[in-house]
Amino acid sequence: MPELDSKHILLGITGGIAAYKTPALVRLLRQAGAEVQIVMSASARHFVTPTVLQALSGLPVRDDLWDGGAEAAMGHIELARWADLVLVAPATADVMARLAGGRADDLLTTLCLATPAPLWLAPAMNQGMWRHPAVQRNRQRLVSDGVLLLGPDEGEQACGDTGPGRMVEPEAILAAISAPSATPTETEQILLGLNVLITAGPTVEAIDPVRYISNHSSGKQGYAIAECAAAMGAEVTLVSGPTRLDTPVGVTRIDVQSARDMHDRVHENIAGQDIFIGVAAVADYRPAAAADQKIKKQGDAADHTLILTENPDIIASVAALPERPLIVGFAAETELAEEHARQKRQCKGLDAIVVNDVSKAQIGFNSDYNSATLIWEQGEVTLPFQGKEALSRQLLEQLMSVFGMRLTVPPGALGPT
Ligand code: C5P
């Protein structure tokens, strides 16, 4: 059972059908040891009653900025300071828009603006609403303002539609907010003294000087891991295929194009590394011979063949080194994800593999979100659907808890004691 010992949680409930799950959420939060103060929006009352929520939280439910009696007991600014964490679940399209616009037009949005505590939202709405560009614009604005988003999940919806927009289940909300990574400001230096080499992004395999074969990898997950590892104290080297991303603070970046470039740069930098994480989507094949000049159209209406040859498997070649770091691979799968990943881990000789099912909307390539399963020889753990930054923290923490004993920090690396 996750622990929230005596944490002050301000739970905002807004008017979506998923509000019917909030009594169960309140019970879970209380069982985990949290104190829960509920603030409802006016429309939330149509879905769940304050009486039920008050009974479960043990505190009167607040819903009005102008309630003199409640304000006399604990004013809204005091309440904003009281909170260790603010969670809005469910968060409707409307509250997301109001928060993204910095509005303070009811008690909940006023508290969200006034609080210094981390703000988490669990969006819930119809899949068409979630996909609407206005909602996605607000989502992006909120993420760049530092708001932490949980989900939404995808699947069958109360309205009969299927798609993204279901509120993340109360158990998953509890797991996410009680994870050690839940408070972004408290980055523990658990990788201090360690060298970490990461590959990220796609590779680009030339057909001729203007054409190439590549894939949809954005590099976001690899860059997020690099940034997080550096924030946790590691010396990070990032060997990156072409991306549009900025180099994370404190990270040494080496740019490459092809799989063979990536292979060579990795091997030039592997000595002295403690951890190698292969996140790059390396092209398995390249054109057997890239043409020196642009290939001209034949105009003969015939089919043409491009002969491909296999690229080196970078991660497997690192795993075959006599002195090898801890090696973690990534696997993007579209079917039988975990089974294929288990086989891949063994075949390539990896210590662990992170698998995600990219057939699910919003997961993997180009998305800001991911969910994954970390698999190693003796176990596996699910990293729930969340932003790629939060997932990176959980992943590195999990790796250190499973393999930390194997990673010996060289004497003196931590500086004079
Ligand atoms: O075989 P598959 O491409 O699914 O394996 C994924 C893992 O292997 C990733 O960690 C990826 O970075 C790595 N890989 C590699 N070199 C290749 C192909 C994949 O390092 N040629």
Side-chain angles (χ1 to χ4, degrees):
M1 175 81 181
E3 288 287 326
L4 285 171
D5 48 342
S6 306
K7 235 183 184 172
H8 292 173
I9 297 190
L10 202 147
L11 173 63
I13 303 177
T14 62
I17 181 69
Y20 85 88
K21 293 184 180 172
T22 53
L25 176 61
V26 176
R27 283 207 70 190
L28 282 175
L29 296 172
R30 297 272 287 146
Q31 280 165 356
E35 287 184 41
V36 182
Q37 170 65 61
I38 294 165
V39 176
M40 297 176 85
S41 72
S43 50
R45 285 169 165 270
H46 293 286
F47 297 94
V48 62
T49 71
T51 321
V52 171
L53 294 166
Q54 175 165 328
L56 291 169
S57 68
L59 290 173
V61 170
R62 299 279 298 265
D63 59 3
D64 188 1
L65 194 50
W66 310 109
D67 178 342
E71 281 288 305
M74 181 152 31
H76 62 276
I77 297 296
E78 246 177 290
L79 200 51
R81 290 195 191 118
W82 170 89
D84 294 317
L85 187 152
V86 178
L87 164 67
V88 183
T92 57
D94 180 60
V95 84
M96 286 179 68
R98 288 189 289 132
L99 291 171
R103 303 286 304 261
D105 51 1
D106 66 2
L107 178 61
L108 179 58
T109 49
T110 304
L111 287 167
C112 290
L113 276 192
T115 188
L119 172 59
W120 291 75
L121 302 186
M125 65 197 74
N126 162 269
Q127 55 84 23
M129 292 171 75
W130 175 253
R131 291 188 164 117
H132 194 283
V135 174
Q136 289 305 311
R137 203 163 52 234
N138 292 333
R139 176 187 68 76
Q140 263 167 7
R141 166 47 69 74
L142 290 165
V143 169
S144 66
D145 287 349
V147 175
L148 298 142
L149 265 77
L150 280 164
D153 276 346
E154 74 166 276
E156 210 177 293
Q157 302 203 294
C159 55
D161 280 5
T162 302
R166 285 167 58 104
M167 188 175 84
V168 170
E169 291 300 328
E171 290 76 10
I173 294 179
L174 174 63
I177 66 171
S178 56
S181 53
T183 315
T185 45
E186 288 171 18
T187 301
E188 269 195 75
Q189 301 280 289
I190 57 173
L191 300 179
L192 204 62
L194 296 178
N195 295 310
V196 180
L197 182 64
I198 298 170
T199 64
T203 65
V204 161
E205 312 295 331
I207 297 172
D208 67 19
V210 296
R211 304 184 182 96
Y212 59 81
I213 298 176
S214 191
N215 58 63
H216 291 299
S217 169
S218 62
K220 285 177 185 167
Q221 184 66 75
Y223 276 57
I225 294 174
E227 180 168 14
C228 191
M232 288 174 165
E235 278 294 325
V236 181
T237 306
L238 179 64
V239 180
S240 171
T243 70
R244 293 166 178 269
L245 305 173
D246 293 330
T247 308
V249 178
V251 168
T252 305
R253 169 167 155 187
I254 301 171
D255 286 323
V256 297
Q257 294 283 321
S258 68
R260 284 188 297 176
D261 286 348
M262 187 175 272
H263 172 274
D264 294 350
R265 298 290 92 74
V266 163
H267 280 275
E268 280 164 22
N269 287 279
I270 199 70
Q273 297 293 341
D274 300 288
I275 307 177
F276 174 67
I277 309 180
V279 196
V282 184
D284 292 324
Y285 294 94
R286 65 176 184 275
D292 291 338
Q293 303 297 329
K294 185 177 170 191
I295 300 168
K296 295 279 173 286
K297 187 154 80 176
Q298 304 291 308
D300 53 5
D303 291 341
H304 293 273
T305 305
L306 183 63
I307 299 177
L308 301 178
T309 189
E310 203 166 340
N311 270 327
D313 193 308
I314 302 167
I315 206 162
S317 69
V318 173
L321 293 172
E323 275 188 47
R324 46 171 270 172
L326 180 83
I327 304 174
V328 183
F330 266 68
E333 301 289 344
T334 54
E335 57 172 354
L336 301 171
E338 280 152 32
E339 199 179 312
H340 286 161
R342 262 181 228 113
Q343 283 164 7
K344 209 166 269 183
R345 190 193 72 78
Q346 275 207 319
C347 292
K348 297 194 187 215
L350 314 180
D351 297 290
I353 195 158
V354 181
V355 55
N356 46 52
D357 185 342
V358 289
S359 66
K360 291 185 187 151
Q362 296 235 343
I363 286 187
F365 293 139
N366 245 314
S367 166
D368 291 327
Y369 297 89
N370 208 351
S371 69
T373 305
L374 173 68
I375 298 175
W376 63 100
E377 188 159 12
Q378 293 86 4
E380 58 184 70
V381 67
T382 301
L383 308 169
F385 187 68
Q386 58 197 311
K388 284 183 171 171
E389 294 76 18
L391 188 115
S392 303
R393 292 170 66 93
Q394 275 194 353
L395 170 64
L396 292 170
E397 283 165 1
Q398 195 63 48
L399 285 173
M400 287 310 280
S401 85
V402 178
F403 297 105
M405 299 292 285
R406 262 172 62 179
L407 297 165
T408 45
V409 178
L414 303 181
T417 46

